[in-house]
Amino acid sequence: MPTGNYLLKGKKVPSVTTIIGRFKNATGLIIWSNQLGLKGINYFDELKKAGDTGTALHEFAEMHIKGEEYQLPDDPTVRHCFNQFLEWWNNTNYKVTWTEKKMGSKKLEVGGCPDLLVKKDGKYILVDFKTSKSLYSDFIIQLSTYAELIRESEGIEIDKAIIVRFPKEDDDTEIKEFSKEDLAVGLKQFKLLRKAFDIDKDLNKILKRKKK
């Protein structure tokens, strides 16, 4: 589940998630932070814990899909999410193309690491795992951009994308599918964010510019 910067012909480019995160609607996080504060819970500790759970789920899911040996941690939340993954995965009959593959786009000047590419009935399906409390429009943007990275890097056209959400607090695994038309809308939005990301960098340079 690599994150951070990527290199394209020696040039460092931002990740898809970095760009999307720069313009993410923070209202939900603010409300959550306030709720934690009222309970005397440290927001940053909880944020790190949530991130660690998502990372662990991705890592163990990948090892399971690849048939590698693994030992689950004692963390009950990680085990809970992973058991949901197993229940879902064992009821699929996907043919795995690859998992967790880093790639980049020269056209968009970004890098990313899609979770899972599978094939079923002759169609390519892009799968993304989430452990969030809900589904957000940001996820469609992320998947649509990953689909574009795959098309540009490997010449594979994604027929549809799927988000599988394994909630940390209940057993209601959520599956949401997105068509090519849905992904086209998400990519259109990402291209706007990509331009805004560079403009925002220029604006920050102006702010930091020393007086003449």
Side-chain angles (χ1 to χ4, degrees):
M1 192 177 166
T3 58
N5 294 309
Y6 292 76
L7 290 175
L8 288 177
K9 289 189 174 181
K11 178 183 178 182
K12 187 163 68 172
V13 297
S15 70
V16 172
T17 52
T18 295
I19 292 173
I20 294 174
R22 178 64 185 84
F23 302 101
K24 184 178 178 66
N25 186 338
T27 302
L29 286 176
I30 293 172
I31 294 173
W32 181 49
S33 174
N34 288 337
Q35 291 173 339
L36 292 175
L38 291 173
K39 296 177 182 178
I41 301 173
N42 186 289
Y43 164 72
F44 293 103
D45 289 344
E46 290 302 303
L47 191 63
K48 183 180 184 302
K49 190 184 299 181
D52 289 345
T53 298
T55 299
L57 183 279
H58 280 79
E59 290 176 349
F60 288 112
E62 182 183 20
M63 286 188 283
H64 182 83
I65 290 170
K66 288 182 172 181
E68 298 175 352
E69 292 187 7
Y70 57 86
Q71 183 174 353
L72 291 175
D74 294 330
D75 188 312
T77 304
V78 173
R79 286 179 172 269
H80 176 73
C81 291
F82 185 73
N83 286 335
Q84 291 180 74
F85 159 77
L86 286 179
E87 185 177 355
W88 166 77
W89 181 252
N90 290 338
N91 284 289
T92 65
N93 58 344
Y94 294 139
K95 180 180 179 181
V96 177
T97 303
W98 47 251
T99 66
E100 297 278 356
K101 192 169 186 178
K102 292 183 69 174
M103 55 186 64
S105 166
K106 297 177 184 177
K107 293 180 180 179
L108 298 174
E109 293 190 307
V110 295
C113 185
D115 286 349
L116 176 65
L117 182 65
V118 298
K119 201 170 185 181
K120 183 178 181 180
D121 299 329
K123 295 185 177 181
Y124 282 103
I125 304 170
L126 176 61
V127 183
D128 195 70
F129 302 135
K130 299 296 183 185
T131 57
S132 54
K133 285 183 174 291
S134 184
L135 297 180
Y136 307 99
S137 60
D138 296 348
F139 298 163
I140 307 175
I141 301 172
Q142 181 184 7
L143 278 171
S144 68
T145 312
Y146 285 165
E148 180 65 14
L149 263 63
I150 293 169
R151 186 197 65 77
E152 187 178 326
S153 300
E154 303 193 335
I156 295 175
E157 293 288 343
I158 300 301
D159 295 290
K160 68 176 178 181
I162 297 176
I163 289 177
V164 189
R165 186 176 72 89
F166 308 109
K168 295 185 281 289
E169 299 174 355
D170 58 60
D171 298 317
D172 297 327
T173 298
E174 184 175 7
I175 301 170
K176 191 79 173 180
E177 296 189 0
F178 304 98
S179 65
K180 282 185 175 181
E181 291 74 21
D182 297 331
L183 296 177
V185 177
L187 183 60
K188 184 177 180 180
Q189 176 71 345
F190 181 80
K191 288 179 178 178
L192 294 174
L193 296 179
R194 184 66 186 88
K195 291 180 180 178
F197 186 82
D198 285 339
I199 294 173
D200 190 59
K201 287 173 62 178
D202 291 339
L203 290 173
N204 281 309
K205 288 179 182 178
I206 292 173
L207 283 174
K208 295 176 181 178
R209 191 167 57 199
K210 294 181 179 180
K211 292 182 179 180
K212 294 182 179 180

